Amino acid sequence: MAQPAQRPVFAPWNDPNEKPLIQFQNVTKKFGEFVAVDGITIDIFRREFFALLGPSGCGKTTLMRMLAGFEKPTEGQILLDGVDLAPIPPNKRETNMMFQSYALFPHLTVWDNIAFGLRRSEMPKDRIPARVEEMLRLTRLEKFARRKPHQISGGQRQRVALARSLAKAPKLLLLDEPLGALDKKLRQDTQFELMDIQEKTGTTFLIVTHDQEEAMTVASRVAVMDHGRMIQVDTPDRIYENPNSVYVADFIGDVNIVEGRATRKGDDKYAIAWAEGQPDIMATSNERIEQGTKVHFAIRPEKVAIATSRPTDRANVIEGKVSDIAYLGNISTYKVEVAGGRMIKAQVANERRLARRDITWDDKVFLSFTDTAGVILLR
């Protein structure tokens, strides 16, 4: 029987022959003495859905505004398709920007909002209606073409703004916190719509967000930023499973971080002494770590098992007492107090009904995990 065709893996950043669409070359942006962006060098490729992720004030919006032409780099160059953007004014760049506020014209219909930019472009007038209809189909807004923005929902207004931004077929679409105004359920639905539209059009998307879940859902790669620097740039699964620092581990998702000193126990095995009277944490690392080095051990709560009896098949077992329980429907999070008053979180999928839960507050429990479940971080 013929095997189904494998979907090709999209990873142009791993191909040395692939030419980047966007190149930041040692870009710095200062506002007076304040350094908003600090010597960033990065390549972004065609058809990527690239996310700039970080807390407020980390420089992600400044980076996007420089691409759009609203700010100029203090130092360095930004290239789009090999062309230096510095002398090109914002309205002449092959980029378009979608703002959080959507900025729709309230007196125009959905159809006319989408057509607005096209009428001011060099597109022949007779081709505009077909392009608007194509955008309406792409964003599933055909039924709302004659309505005005106040007559449609927030999610639909968001799609009008997206259709208007894509109508001129930019090489690059910049999305500045585009889903911030939507409620959680609608935001999640819209994330998948954005991914679908991005894939259908083949346009390169660059999204700025402080929402980790959003970045991890939509992006082909994520750049985690802090104080104007890129701390780690990688695929969402690598960022989550292999953070390169305590900052990234802590910023993305939920994590337990334990400080200790590492002792080598084999090729890639290390014992981490972390609390008096507690067994060392056994962990692995491909990096060679000097004996007695101070390290941080990071492990996600879902990789920590919790039980009322001591397991015998795990490399690491820690005894403790249940301090708190958070029931979140699909999962429960247990906060367990271990040696020295430290708290370690374990997360369990709720396969049973709540009434049948066998672990409750103040129970003595055993936390366990394998020697490959966490990561050793040196910074």
Side-chain angles (χ1 to χ4, degrees), residues 7-8 47 53 75 238 242 258-259 279-281 284 375 377:
R7 188 170 179 173
R47 303 181 73 92
L53 174 67
E75 294 168 26
R238 295 273 310 163
N242 297 94
V258 176
E259 197 176 310
D280 291 351
I281 290 172
T284 59
V375 289
L377 303 171

Side-chain angles (χ1 to χ4, degrees), residues 104 110 113-114 141 152 156-164:
L104 301 177
V110 166
N113 263 287
I114 296 170
L141 289 167
I152 59 177
Q156 288 157 351
R157 285 196 289 273
Q158 194 265 353
R159 298 211 305 269
V160 176
L162 183 63
R164 184 182 61 184

Side-chain angles (χ1 to χ4, degrees), residues 346-366:
Q347 223 164 53
V348 180
N350 289 322
E351 294 162 348
R352 306 178 183 185
R353 290 185 64 85
L354 187 61
R356 294 179 58 199
R357 186 167 58 199
D358 60 347
I359 298 172
T360 189
W361 287 267
D362 297 326
D363 278 0
K364 177 183 165 182
V365 291
F366 296 92

Side-chain angles (χ1 to χ4, degrees), residues 32-269:
E33 293 299 304
F34 176 68
V35 181
V37 171
D38 191 359
I40 280 179
T41 296
I42 189 171
D43 294 339
I44 299 171
F45 295 85
R46 274 176 188 75
R47 303 181 73 92
E48 266 209 85
F49 202 137
F50 194 91
L52 295 173
L53 174 67
S56 297
C58 73
K60 56 189 188 297
T61 299
T62 303
L63 211 57
M64 178 178 275
R65 288 176 62 81
M66 285 192 286
L67 258 177
F70 303 140
E71 302 287 354
K72 289 197 166 155
T74 309
E75 294 168 26
Q77 272 190 317
I78 303 172
L79 308 179
L80 178 66
D81 234 353
V83 177
D84 184 0
L85 288 176
I88 304 172
N91 62 325
K92 301 289 184 191
R93 296 188 181 191
E94 292 181 276
T95 63
N96 220 333
M97 192 159 180
M98 181 177 151
F99 299 95
Q100 185 177 352
S101 63
Y102 309 149
L104 301 177
F105 296 108
H107 61 290
L108 297 182
T109 63
V110 166
W111 201 99
D112 287 323
N113 263 287
I114 296 170
F116 186 85
L118 296 174
R119 288 174 174 149
R120 278 148 187 76
S121 71
E122 293 169 7
M123 181 178 279
K125 296 283 183 282
D126 59 341
R127 285 179 51 204
I128 290 174
R131 182 62 178 167
V132 174
E133 295 298 331
E134 185 186 347
M135 290 297 102
L136 287 166
R137 279 193 303 276
L138 179 70
T139 51
R140 295 185 290 108
L141 289 167
E142 302 105 304
K143 289 190 293 186
F144 306 99
R146 298 298 157 201
R147 294 195 193 178
K148 293 194 173 164
H150 73 274
Q151 296 170 318
I152 59 177
S153 70
Q156 288 157 351
R157 285 196 289 273
Q158 194 265 353
R159 298 211 305 269
V160 176
L162 183 63
R164 184 182 61 184
S165 300
L166 288 169
K168 289 170 76 175
K171 282 184 180 174
L172 173 66
L173 181 63
L174 307 170
L175 302 120
D176 187 11
E177 303 273 7
L179 312 183
L182 306 181
D183 64 65
K184 184 167 183 176
K185 183 79 172 68
L186 184 56
R187 196 160 68 234
Q188 288 172 338
D189 292 344
T190 310
Q191 285 166 7
F192 286 102
E193 284 183 1
L194 268 182
M195 291 160 68
D196 189 42
I197 288 166
Q198 191 265 339
E199 203 165 295
K200 280 178 182 165
T201 60
T203 307
T204 304
F205 278 24
L206 178 68
I207 187 170
V208 157
T209 181
H210 62 266
D211 184 328
Q212 308 125 36
E213 200 176 299
E214 185 167 289
M216 301 287 277
T217 301
V218 303
S220 51
R221 282 192 303 161
V222 177
V224 182
M225 293 187 66
D226 186 38
H227 291 97
R229 292 177 176 270
M230 294 209 171
I231 309 301
Q232 186 171 357
V233 181
D234 220 325
T235 54
D237 59 312
R238 295 273 310 163
I239 292 266
Y240 187 81
E241 300 288 353
N242 297 94
N244 67 0
S245 60
V246 171
Y247 176 80
V248 174
D250 198 29
F251 191 76
I252 302 287
D254 211 353
V255 70
N256 297 297
I257 296 176
V258 176
E259 197 176 310
R261 294 202 175 269
T263 304
R264 193 177 173 81
K265 294 289 181 184
D267 283 349
D268 60 354
K269 298 272 190 294

Side-chain angles (χ1 to χ4, degrees), residues 258-265 269-284 291-292 295 297 310 314-319 339 344 367-371 376:
V258 176
E259 197 176 310
R261 294 202 175 269
T263 304
R264 193 177 173 81
K265 294 289 181 184
K269 298 272 190 294
Y270 291 88
I272 301 168
W274 63 285
E276 204 170 323
Q278 283 283 350
D280 291 351
I281 290 172
M282 300 305 297
T284 59
Q291 300 287 58
V295 298
F297 175 74
R310 181 183 287 273
R314 292 289 186 100
N316 296 288
V317 179
I318 301 169
E319 194 176 316
I344 293 182
L367 302 176
S368 62
F369 47 94
T370 64
D371 59 2
I376 300 175

